[in-house]
Amino acid sequence: SVGKEFIQDLLGTQKDDRYAFCILALLNPQLDYKNNDFHLDHLHPISGFTKNAAIALNLSPEDEEIFLSPEWNNSIVNLQMLDSNENMSKQAKSLEEWVTQETQKKERVAFLDRCIIPNKSSLQLCDFAAFAKERDALLAKKLSELLK
């Protein structure tokens, strides 16, 4: 059986780890991987996770620790599988800006569900710690169901 510790280890997988693509592909079975033109992209751009940004955002010590930790900001919790066209349109946009742009012509809840983004979570960078914890729980639940 697959335990919580194993799932948390999977969710801590870093972007450049050789297993990151496989884990994200498992979480996104609806995508057509035949063209092999997919990118692992940070939902919240990795360039925003700096000590200066944490200070400017006036984060609590606990939130700052999560904000600056690669275990959260560079792991599966902050990554999404995007095809090359989606990734090129996203570029370094904030998560909030990208979701707003993508849902102008699409149903927001369906889009967030497809990307396994918490529906009621703030998408602002200052709320990354809460977002990461909520997304971690969603991803853990989905992995548990998939790996039964």
Side-chain angles (χ1 to χ4, degrees), residues 15-105:
K15 182 181 186 218
D16 294 328
D17 186 285
R18 63 184 174 158
Y19 296 115
F21 185 93
C22 299
I23 295 166
L24 287 170
L26 182 65
L27 287 165
N28 295 279
Q30 75 282 4
L31 299 176
D32 179 8
Y33 295 100
K34 290 178 188 165
N35 67 10
N36 200 22
D37 200 14
F38 285 89
H39 302 179
L40 307 179
D41 189 63
H42 290 94
L43 289 170
H44 286 283
I46 194 69
S47 60
F49 294 98
T50 65
K51 181 71 173 168
N52 287 340
I55 292 168
L57 294 170
N58 197 28
L59 302 174
S60 71
E62 180 187 342
D63 287 355
E64 182 176 321
E65 184 178 337
I66 291 170
F67 183 86
L68 294 174
S69 171
E71 291 178 29
W72 292 96
N73 64 35
N74 194 46
S75 71
I76 299 297
V77 173
N78 190 36
L79 294 174
Q80 180 63 36
M81 188 79 77
L82 299 177
D83 72 34
S84 61
N85 293 329
E86 280 181 308
N87 192 30
M88 289 162 70
S89 74
K90 182 179 183 291
Q91 295 184 351
K93 290 182 179 117
S94 72
L95 177 58
E96 185 175 44
E97 182 182 1
W98 179 65
V99 168
T100 300
Q101 173 190 317
E102 288 295 310
T103 58
Q104 287 177 351
K105 296 178 184 172

Side-chain angles (χ1 to χ4, degrees), residues 79-147:
L79 294 174
Q80 180 63 36
M81 188 79 77
L82 299 177
D83 72 34
S84 61
N85 293 329
E86 280 181 308
N87 192 30
M88 289 162 70
S89 74
K90 182 179 183 291
Q91 295 184 351
K93 290 182 179 117
S94 72
L95 177 58
E96 185 175 44
E97 182 182 1
W98 179 65
V99 168
T100 300
Q101 173 190 317
E102 288 295 310
T103 58
Q104 287 177 351
K105 296 178 184 172
K106 300 175 191 168
E107 216 291 303
R108 183 178 174 92
V109 173
F111 177 79
L112 293 174
D113 286 346
R114 180 179 65 84
C115 294
I116 318 169
I117 296 173
N119 289 327
K120 297 178 182 170
S121 184
S122 168
L123 303 180
Q124 295 182 10
L125 189 58
C126 63
D127 297 317
F128 175 75
F131 166 83
K133 288 176 186 176
E134 290 176 37
R135 188 158 196 257
D136 181 78
L138 284 175
L139 293 170
K141 181 180 180 204
K142 185 164 184 173
L143 279 174
S144 292
E145 292 168 359
L146 290 168
L147 299 174

